[in-house]
Amino acid sequence: MDTQIKKKIFDLKQKKNAIILAHYYVDGEIQDIADYVGDSLELARKASVTDADIIVFAGVHFMAETAKIISPNKKVLIPDIKSGCPLADSMSGAGLKKMKEQYPDHVIVNYVNSTAEIKAMSDLICTSSNAVDMVKSFDPGTKILFGPDKNLGAFVKSFVNNEMVIWDGNCPVHENFSAEKLKALKLKFPEAVVLAHPEANKPVLLLADLIGSTSKIIKYAVESDKKQFIIATEPGVIHTLKKQTSEKEFIPLPPVQNLDKSICFNMKKHTVEKVLQALENEQFEIFMDSELIKKAALPIKRMLDMSIKLGLIK
Ligand code: 13P
Ligand code: SF4
């Protein structure tokens, strides 16, 4: 990395009391200059407790939006404003309203990969690391509308007896993994441990040794005494994995079609140069209606409070 850019970023962070939060799927160079790298839940928590005045959020739009909702008095910047999430965009407010009209006695639990409008309509938000616990917080007789990820929804359903109606959305990156490719890799690397994200489809998850959020995948591999791992999530996590455990081998699961399909291009839109521009020009700022912030904050704060109580985050 250009050391001049790195120094400028460091100086601007000091001068403006800013921090950089980054998700594991962004480019390794950004992970290296970030103050904190984490999964969605950890990043939301970090945004809620930081005393920085500016948060530069290197992640997709819904993540930066979530930071703004929890910390409305802070300036939240996203280095590339076009960094969206097709999964989050797959659920419209009108669509959820229609679903709720069909199932009026169901509570609404939505994945954090959703727009602020959807969050404002939800009773509770969850992330990949706490989805099962969040749904389990309701008694088994409570009926649940869950969205927008159908794979995460089906994964949660396998742990609970609640009746669940699940939105038909998916992440194009994780949906592109196949059990056939995974079986072939397992034959080639019979000793390898399979670590998968719950956004992957059921046939892939059935072959996994561990299913968890990006942070859980990293923690498991780092602490394990095994040496070889097949990674069934976006390969950005391998950057941190290699930094934390240089002696282990990580094999990315190839997608059904070409290799590019396993990359989250939206996360990769951020670059170190754009992070510098974000700090220099205070762009691109996340602006939100204050009423929307108030409504969307409730189910997110509920999730954070429960996650702290359950010891899932500090
Ligand atoms: P994590 O919360 O596991 O980091 O996942 C975020 C995400 O967008 C996965 O595709
Ligand atoms: Fe969205 Fe999928 Fe990218 Fe995660 S990997 S941010 S769900 S498109």
Side-chain angles (χ1 to χ4, degrees), residues 23 25 39-41 62-63 111 113 128 174 197 199 213-214:
H23 188 266
Y25 295 164
D39 69 9
S40 308
L41 180 64
F62 77 80
M63 293 180 175
Y111 191 25
N113 296 39
S128 63
H174 290 84
H197 195 278
E199 285 176 18
S213 75
T214 49

Side-chain angles (χ1 to χ4, degrees), residues 186-250:
K186 276 167 73 84
L187 281 177
K188 202 168 159 196
F189 303 100
E191 296 297 315
V193 180
V194 180
L195 309 178
H197 195 278
E199 285 176 18
N201 54 55
K202 194 174 175 187
V204 168
L205 296 185
L206 285 173
L207 296 168
D209 298 295
L210 171 99
I211 301 167
S213 75
T214 49
S215 283
K216 279 194 184 160
I217 286 175
I218 290 166
K219 188 169 186 286
Y220 186 93
V222 170
E223 290 174 358
S224 168
D225 50 13
K226 296 281 167 36
K227 295 281 176 250
Q228 215 176 36
F229 302 86
I230 295 172
I231 304 295
T233 189
E234 213 274 357
V237 296
I238 296 177
H239 180 77
T240 295
L241 281 167
K242 281 189 175 155
K243 266 170 66 175
Q244 294 193 8
T245 56
S246 52
E247 81 286 5
K248 294 180 183 175
E249 187 185 1
F250 302 103

Side-chain angles (χ1 to χ4, degrees), residues 79-98:
D80 189 316
I81 192 68
K82 293 206 179 95
S83 175
C85 170
L87 170 61
D89 294 340
S90 75
M91 191 183 225
S92 66
L96 179 57
K97 192 167 170 265
K98 209 169 150 197

Side-chain angles (χ1 to χ4, degrees), residues 17-32:
N17 188 27
I19 56 161
I20 301 171
L21 302 184
H23 188 266
Y24 291 115
Y25 295 164
V26 298
D27 200 86
E29 283 197 341
I30 301 180
Q31 294 187 40
D32 292 345

